[in-house]
Amino acid sequence: MRSAKRKRAKRTLIALLLMFVLSFSTVFADDDVQGDGAPADGTQTEVTTGDEEGDVEGGGTTEEPAAEEPDPEPEPDPELEPEPVNEGSIIQKGSYYYYMDPEGVIRKKAGFVTVGGKIYYVRRGGKIKTNATFKVNKKYYRANKRGVILTGVYKWNNHYYFSYSRGQCKRKAGFVVWKGNKYYIRKGGKIITGDGFTVKNIAYVANKKGYVKKVVFPEEDSNAVIKVARKQVGIMTGKTYWVWYYKTRFRDTDRTPWCGAFVAWVYNKAGLYKKISVAKRYGPLGYVPSYSRFADKYKKWINKRNARPGDIIVFGRNMHVGLVEGVYGNYIVTIEGNAGPTAVIGCGKPGAVVRKIYKLNSGKIKGVICVLKHK
């Protein structure tokens, strides 16, 4: 008799323990969701065709120096999880939205649902996530004020973003194509708009809506100087240029600044060294102020908009010098030595020869020096 009572008591204890474990796990089994709660319009942008080049605005550069290569292809839409439910309806109660299945039961379990081709996220308890950026299983999503998870290109807090067809926000840098237009996403998710930028030493321009165009200059606009410079793009050390000009040992980074030596080397390689050698009267050509003094003396400064391939461009207060590859709309494209991301004081690594792009009215540019006769 006592044995039977002990067995019943044991079973009751086990059942109580199971109930406690289940209730405890339910409390923490909501969703791996983190919302920023920031107000946003979540506008789904309808894209047609690109604006004219002249409408483009912006400034600054984004570069990843490397050997020039074909225009990068956008990455494919990844497989996202979970697979949404494709039935039921969305109902509104007060200021909240809920998902109701075909039997009229409001869903309480956290997860994605699809109604009328639109994706929603139901939080544990039933409320649909609205007006927020949130995270589920380490992937980010955005829901507008009605709870619709945004896809494609859309406007959020005055910036454009892109989410894949099942809602995951693209946060890694790279190209995407949507409705026939190409866009470039910066690291973190913002689409570049109204700006010029470079990727792997290829220059691009994005208009106000983010449509991207590759910068291409006609071959007939090239000359000997710029043809030589283009072949150097991607070189990660200034040793060749420094040793040729100074005939001394080369040391990495700003301990051996070599942007001026690069310009002189290119002109020499192009057979046009005499065009700039007169500037040596005002200091070595590895020293940026020498170029400015030469331009001042011989009135060689020209309007930036009239810059042509092979012209010399000076930055800041005679802090840096490079070569003009061409003017594209409201932008100027350059090839510069000792201008890569490794050209940082104390890093112990050399800079690089890179292609950059700036707005013509960029405050970084001091001016353009013309020493060649252009067509």
Side-chain angles (χ1 to χ4, degrees):
M1 192 70 176
R2 287 180 180 177
S3 177
K5 287 181 179 180
R6 287 196 196 96
K7 288 181 180 179
R8 281 198 298 271
K10 187 175 182 180
R11 284 196 297 269
T12 300
L13 181 60
I14 291 171
L16 288 171
L17 285 171
L18 284 172
M19 288 175 65
F20 175 76
V21 170
L22 287 172
S23 63
F24 181 81
S25 62
T26 302
V27 171
F28 292 95
D30 183 0
D31 41 341
D32 184 14
V33 176
Q34 298 174 4
D36 61 10
D41 52 9
T43 304
Q44 193 78 33
T45 305
E46 289 299 327
V47 178
T48 53
T49 58
D51 290 347
E52 296 298 321
E53 292 172 13
D55 292 336
V56 177
E57 296 180 356
T61 60
T62 303
E63 50 269 341
E64 300 173 18
E68 190 166 325
E69 58 183 46
D71 197 3
E73 287 301 318
E75 60 187 61
D77 192 341
E79 286 298 320
L80 307 180
E81 47 91 34
E83 186 69 38
V85 176
N86 292 291
E87 54 187 12
S89 59
I90 302 298
I91 62 171
Q92 185 176 4
K93 290 185 177 182
S95 58
Y96 298 104
Y97 293 87
Y98 300 84
Y99 169 75
M100 186 169 66
D101 69 20
E103 284 73 39
V105 178
I106 292 177
R107 174 173 174 146
K108 302 291 186 180
K109 182 181 178 182
F112 291 90
V113 296
T114 298
V115 177
K118 296 178 180 179
I119 305 172
Y120 302 81
Y121 186 79
V122 179
R123 304 182 68 183
R124 182 177 63 84
K127 293 177 183 177
I128 286 175
K129 193 77 174 177
T130 60
N131 203 37
T133 301
F134 61 98
K135 187 168 68 171
V136 178
N137 295 330
K138 298 181 180 180
K139 297 170 184 176
Y140 287 85
Y141 301 82
R142 283 193 181 90
N144 67 14
K145 61 185 179 181
R146 295 181 177 274
V148 178
I149 292 178
L150 301 172
T151 60
V153 174
Y154 53 88
K155 198 170 186 179
W156 184 268
N157 287 340
N158 297 318
H159 295 283
Y160 288 97
Y161 295 87
F162 175 83
S163 291
Y164 294 104
S165 61
R166 286 165 62 187
Q168 183 189 18
C169 301
K170 177 171 173 57
R171 294 171 61 82
K172 292 183 178 180
F175 289 94
V176 296
V177 172
W178 188 65
K179 292 192 175 182
N181 293 294
K182 182 174 284 190
Y183 303 81
Y184 188 80
I185 285 81
R186 294 185 188 274
K187 182 180 179 181
K190 290 180 183 177
I191 288 175
I192 293 180
T193 59
D195 204 354
F197 62 99
T198 62
V199 177
K200 295 183 178 179
N201 280 311
I202 299 174
Y204 301 88
V205 168
N207 69 12
K208 293 177 181 178
K209 292 185 178 179
Y211 310 146
V212 169
K213 287 185 180 180
K214 183 178 179 179
V215 176
V216 178
F217 294 111
E219 186 59 33
E220 57 267 25
D221 289 348
S222 301
N223 56 30
V225 171
I226 212 63
K227 285 178 180 178
V228 170
R230 283 172 178 162
K231 291 180 180 179
Q232 302 306 302
V233 172
I235 299 295
M236 297 299 292
T237 174
K239 182 177 181 179
T240 297
Y241 321 115
W242 179 274
V243 171
W244 168 80
Y245 186 79
Y246 284 106
K247 308 296 189 296
T248 60
R249 180 171 174 265
F250 178 77
R251 294 178 299 169
D252 290 341
T253 193
D254 284 351
R255 290 176 297 170
T256 310
W258 51 272
C259 60
F262 168 74
V263 170
W265 182 92
V266 171
Y267 265 81
N268 180 69
K269 198 74 173 176
L272 295 167
Y273 189 59
K274 289 183 179 180
K275 294 288 184 180
I276 62 170
S277 59
V278 64
K280 293 172 72 174
R281 298 175 186 174
Y282 307 97
L285 296 183
Y287 184 52
V288 181
S290 302
Y291 292 93
S292 290
R293 291 168 187 162
F294 161 71
D296 290 339
K297 178 66 176 179
Y298 293 93
K299 295 180 172 53
K300 293 291 185 178
W301 295 107
I302 62 171
N303 188 305
K304 288 177 283 186
R305 191 168 290 278
N306 296 329
R308 295 293 182 269
D311 287 343
I312 298 168
I313 185 167
V314 180
F315 297 90
R317 297 181 178 179
N318 296 321
M319 297 299 294
H320 182 59
V321 67
L323 294 167
V324 173
E325 184 176 18
V327 173
Y328 186 86
N330 292 324
Y331 294 86
I332 188 165
V333 181
T334 64
I335 297 175
E336 305 167 29
N338 202 29
T342 55
V344 179
I345 295 174
C347 71
K349 295 181 180 180
V353 180
V354 299
R355 178 177 280 109
K356 289 192 173 187
I357 184 169
Y358 306 85
K359 278 190 68 177
L360 281 169
N361 62 0
S362 171
K364 296 178 180 179
I365 302 171
K366 175 179 178 176
V368 174
I369 302 170
C370 177
V371 296
L372 299 175
K373 289 184 179 181
H374 298 299
K375 298 178 182 179

